[in-house]
Amino acid sequence: MKDFTNLHQPTGRVITESGQDYLFFGGTAYLGLLVNDDYIDLYKQGLSIYGLNNGTSRNNNIQLGIFNQAEEVAAMRFGFEDAVMLSSGYLATQLAVKSLFSFGELLYAPHTHPALWYGTNPNVSGEMHVWMENIVKKINHSDEDTFVIVSNALDNMGPAYYDFSPLLQIDPRKKVILLIDDSHGIGVVRQNNVSIDLSIFDRSTIEVVVVASLAKGLGTDAGIILSSTKRIAQFRKSPFYTGASPASPASLYAFIHSQEIYLAAFEKLQKNIQLFTSLGGKSLNHIHHFPVFSSEEPELYQKLVQSGFLISSFPYPLETDPLLNRIVVTSLHVDDDLKKIAGIISAEIVKS
């Protein structure tokens, strides 16, 4: 079996190893910004202005203006009152979880990403819709009044969308925060937006906090928390915020100034998803507007490698979990790429 775990190249459209080219259909760079020349030029402009990094905490008396500017732009872009940005998605999620721990009981949804765990694995399993019904009953019949519901925005491995509308049946006298991790969906599923429609909570008593890594679809080495001005002010008091070095200022510069690049990549991605679905993606596990198509066929990875294609295939999120194959369509792929891999996958499914 060939080893692709020690590469020294970007994981863009093509990966070259031992003199052989492979078309890459894996990873999480859905919009292909990691090798987008125009986006890289913006990053270089940011480097020329701000340097490589700024290793001082956000409460230092000497500050770069790019950090506040990026947070203002992000809040407006994704439709929230305010935002706070950190150096990684993991740091952002840990800040949120540990800041909200004192608010009320943490109620974890099935398959919540480990970055959101408060210490150990909460060990919650089962179907999401069943869990949702049970958690509403638990909250409504509890003697406690405050709760924090913690969940991924979607299942990026299945993949599957989650319906959060059952939470509207929670007793309005209860105080509930919904903490959602949208690392795989933000800016990818819906243009300049989070992946789920949060407007259903506009008139409810449920407060929404969204956390995300921007290093996936949006190609920005940073983590973000989106919420109300009041809640973000609380997060800014956390030692995770005041004591940690911020994200790369050059990366945030590219984030701020890349709207046209993003829009073009988003449009191309959605066209590629639609094309691949029509070519044979329907035979795989998939959901509309999301670029991941999965298969539990154990031999698929090796069969694709032999044909010159690389996909993501590994146990996730834990090493003890079953192997899952993810065919990831990105904005970098051209029509011929999609036709070729769809043809091979369709042929293998017919054989099996």
Side-chain angles (χ1 to χ4, degrees), residues 260-337:
E260 290 185 7
I261 298 170
Y262 161 77
L263 292 175
F266 178 85
E267 182 178 355
K268 183 64 163 60
L269 174 63
Q270 292 302 324
K271 286 183 178 179
N272 281 351
I273 294 171
Q274 185 177 12
L275 175 59
F276 184 68
T277 302
S278 68
L279 291 171
K282 291 180 181 179
S283 62
L284 302 167
N285 300 319
H286 77 289
I287 51 179
H288 61 283
H289 302 307
F290 191 60
V292 174
F293 297 75
S294 69
S295 170
E296 296 176 0
E297 169 57 46
E299 304 299 324
L300 182 60
Y301 172 75
Q302 280 303 318
K303 291 174 181 177
L304 287 173
V305 169
Q306 292 169 8
S307 299
F309 295 90
L310 280 178
I311 64 171
S312 294
S313 182
F314 55 94
Y316 182 89
L318 303 177
E319 292 184 359
T320 54
D321 287 335
L323 187 71
L324 188 68
N325 296 309
R326 296 171 81 243
I327 297 94
V328 180
V329 174
T330 76
S331 61
L332 298 174
H333 293 123
V334 299
D335 291 0
D336 194 49
D337 300 340

Side-chain angles (χ1 to χ4, degrees), residues 84-100:
V84 62
M85 300 176 85
L86 294 99
S87 58
S88 71
Y90 179 83
L91 197 61
T93 54
Q94 284 294 294
L95 186 160
V97 167
K98 293 188 176 181
S99 295
L100 296 176

